[in-house]
Amino acid sequence: MPDLSKITCIEDLRVVAKRRVPKMFYDYADSGAWTEGTYRANESDFQKIKLRQRVAVNMEGRSTRTTMIGQDVAMPVAIAPTGLTGMQHADGEILGALAAKAFGIPFTLSTMSICSLEDIAENTGRHPFWFQLYVMKDRDFIERLIDRARAANVSALQLTLDLQILGQRHKDIKNGLTTPPKPTIKNLLNLATKPHWCLGMLGTKRRTFRNIAGHAMGVKDLSSLSSWTAEQFDPALNWGDIEWIKKRWGGKLILKGILDAEDARLAANSGADALIVSNHGGRQLDGAPSSISALPAIADAVGRDIEVWMDGGIRSGQDVLKARALGARGTMIGRSFLYGLGAYGQAGVTRALQIIHKELDVTMAFCGHTDINTVDSGILLPGTF
């Protein structure tokens, strides 16, 4: 185990990940659509919100424990679904799930993961985890995917609503990030500078989208997988499909990608258990509001009818606390988790969670609270949110 005691913030992990992960895969994770304005605002808008420091408050016996859709969690944080996680580090999804299990928070596997549902179940001792579902045109494949999720002991299904069509990310095009990746001279030269990553990938059999390859009709290799995925995202997705998925699944359902209060009311009326205020990490509609700026109106509109969570831009425990103060019962981390994974594998993910937890715990105390469940907007300086 590496000594990560000198890694004191998520930015430290990002710097190491940028050095250790091949450029095309690092840029895939650390980029946004078009001008990347929304991607940057997700992070910078948190900084505008100021905290009220309180003093002479008994800070003993602090607790960050709470629940998300009835599940006990060590802090109001879950690992978000991220595509190609197994390309940040060999077997990345398995390592993330193991770190989350040990820390006591939920892990969410993406449909577009490198490790499969079955890989996660087998390597975590069938510990419950969440699964994020993209709706494809091939409904038979979706039905079988839902059945596989149930068989793998998935305890909640997370349906992403904001990827019916793909936003354009300039870095992916410039880097030649396709399926399979283009072996350009530039990419090969960059790979030569990443020996640790290359050795890890040589040591694993997991190098493709294992939830899809071998399971979707006609998809047997990377080339056929590329054409299948390009055709399968369903632009006709609507609220009727959500009702069908809810009935087919029959368990806890979370809707991800809500940015508007009107859509939030539709989500609450759908019977889902939670919604996630999210702009897909700024990777879809550039020019959309940051998640944290959209959160208060949505929480005010539906917070009594459905659990409201928030995703996008969280780089610290202070960000988690601010989201909680503005109405988010839970939060999700994507890039913060990926930086840790790309930097140091499972140990890096654990370190990211430790950093966020400590910042959350200490900041909560400075703001005069010892229980995360009592935190509200009273901890924030009026006029800054």
Side-chain angles (χ1 to χ4, degrees), residues 27-137:
D27 282 354
Y28 170 79
D30 201 24
S31 64
W34 287 332
T35 71
E36 298 192 331
T38 297
Y39 160 64
R40 290 190 300 272
N42 270 353
E43 199 170 339
S44 63
D45 282 359
F46 269 109
Q47 308 310 312
K48 301 172 185 176
I49 303 168
K50 303 304 178 185
L51 299 161
R52 294 176 60 207
Q53 179 175 313
R54 305 300 302 277
V55 296
V57 176
N58 185 344
M59 296 180 181
E60 296 176 316
R62 298 189 302 278
S63 174
T64 61
R65 299 199 67 85
T66 187
T67 62
M68 295 173 69
I69 56 170
Q71 179 175 334
D72 290 330
V73 293
M75 58 179 172
V77 174
I79 290 181
T82 54
L84 288 173
T85 298
M87 289 298 174
Q88 301 296 317
H89 189 288
D91 298 335
E93 291 91 353
I94 292 172
L95 301 182
L98 288 170
K101 174 185 176 182
F103 207 88
I105 67 165
F107 172 83
T108 316
L109 183 71
S110 170
T111 293
M112 308 305 292
S113 59
I114 302 301
C115 302
S116 68
L117 284 154
E118 293 78 10
D119 289 330
I120 303 302
E122 178 183 349
N123 285 276
T124 61
R126 293 185 53 79
H127 183 74
F129 64 102
W130 298 346
F131 180 62
Q132 173 268 336
L133 180 71
Y134 285 126
V135 179
M136 309 293 191
K137 293 176 183 176

Side-chain angles (χ1 to χ4, degrees), residues 37-46 279-283 288-292 310-315 319 335:
T38 297
Y39 160 64
R40 290 190 300 272
N42 270 353
E43 199 170 339
S44 63
D45 282 359
F46 269 109
N279 52 37
H280 214 98
R283 294 164 61 79
S290 68
S291 296
I292 192 62
M310 179 262 163
D311 162 82
I314 291 176
R315 303 291 184 270
D319 294 340
R335 291 185 177 98

Side-chain angles (χ1 to χ4, degrees), residues 325-340:
L326 291 175
R329 185 171 183 85
T331 62
M332 305 201 78
I333 56 169
R335 291 185 177 98
S336 292
F337 142 69
L338 292 177
Y339 297 150

Side-chain angles (χ1 to χ4, degrees), residues 158 247 365:
Q158 196 174 114
K247 289 180 179 177

Side-chain angles (χ1 to χ4, degrees), residues 14 17-18 21-30 88 339:
R14 187 197 68 78
K18 187 174 184 179
V21 178
K23 179 176 170 56
M24 69 163 62
F25 298 122
Y26 174 83
D27 282 354
Y28 170 79
D30 201 24
Q88 301 296 317
Y339 297 150

